[in-house]
Amino acid sequence: MTIQQLFTNNKEWVKKQLHSDPYFFENLSKKQEPEFLYIGCSDSRVTAEELMGLHPGDVFVHRNIANLVPNTDLNSMSVINYAVNHLKVKHIIVCGHYGCGGIAAAMKQSDLGLLNPWLRNIRDVYRLHFKELEDISDQEARNRRLVELNVQEQCINIIKMAEIHKANQERQLIVYGWVFDIATGKLIDLKIDFESILKKITTVYKITP
């Protein structure tokens, strides 16, 4: 695959879109009004719109290694703030995936240089759920469970935010935790109990009246 081929692909994509809808790009250029904020992994095998059957303009996307949402990361915090306060999204989805390289790297006892502080967030998840994970003898099964627990903890990090509390009160915004199974192509709902988590943590993290 060459760079030039990508431009050729783009021309074919434009032609296809205009064939099905002559006003597609005209309408797309006016304004974005996505209902969903999707926070996923940067893995090249995991798309956002495609796996959910959505189209350009339907979802606001943020991706990084292992779909992390550290409360000290200005990048992800800014994305969430903009999506919630300005785009007025109705749903926030944190989506991990089995076979995640970031999860596997965090499980290794090795110095990975610049990646160390980022992967430490995953190792913190492992520490929080140490007993459960250590009781899983099969390494692949343990990694898969850590993928799920990592999604859960990132959802909790989002639920801690004041703008989430406010948006939930104003328009019932909800945070969801999913996992994408690359081997089957299926999305798995981890059934994060948003209301229960919100109720528990607001006693400590609630900022808004």
Side-chain angles (χ1 to χ4, degrees), residues 139-188:
Q139 187 64 54
E140 182 178 352
R142 187 187 297 174
N143 280 16
R144 288 169 69 91
R145 183 55 181 152
L146 182 54
V147 165
E148 296 168 353
L149 291 170
N150 181 55
V151 168
Q152 173 184 301
E153 292 301 327
Q154 304 318 310
C155 288
I156 291 173
N157 282 343
I158 296 172
I159 297 170
K160 293 175 186 176
M161 299 174 64
E163 47 263 66
I164 301 302
H165 303 172
K166 184 177 179 181
N168 175 255
Q169 293 173 353
E170 293 178 348
R171 59 180 190 277
Q172 290 74 55
L173 179 143
I174 297 178
V175 179
Y176 306 84
W178 296 354
V179 172
F180 177 59
D181 188 344
I182 297 177
T184 65
K186 294 181 179 179
L187 284 170
I188 300 165

Side-chain angles (χ1 to χ4, degrees), residues 48-87:
E49 294 90 346
E50 190 173 2
L51 66 85
M52 293 185 288
L54 298 178
H55 305 284
D58 290 339
V59 56
F60 196 59
V61 179
H62 176 68
R63 298 173 65 175
N64 60 47
I65 295 174
N67 44 272
L68 296 178
V69 192
N71 294 149
T72 55
D73 177 38
L74 292 180
N75 190 351
S76 56
M77 293 296 101
S78 297
V79 167
I80 294 170
N81 182 284
Y82 182 74
V84 172
N85 292 336
H86 300 279
L87 297 179

Side-chain angles (χ1 to χ4, degrees), residues 6 9 31 71 78 93 114 116 120 131 146 151 153 159 198:
L6 301 184
N9 293 348
K31 187 179 181 181
N71 294 149
S78 297
I93 300 161
L114 187 61
N116 286 337
R120 193 176 300 129
K131 179 64 168 62
L146 182 54
V151 168
E153 292 301 327
I159 297 170
L198 181 65

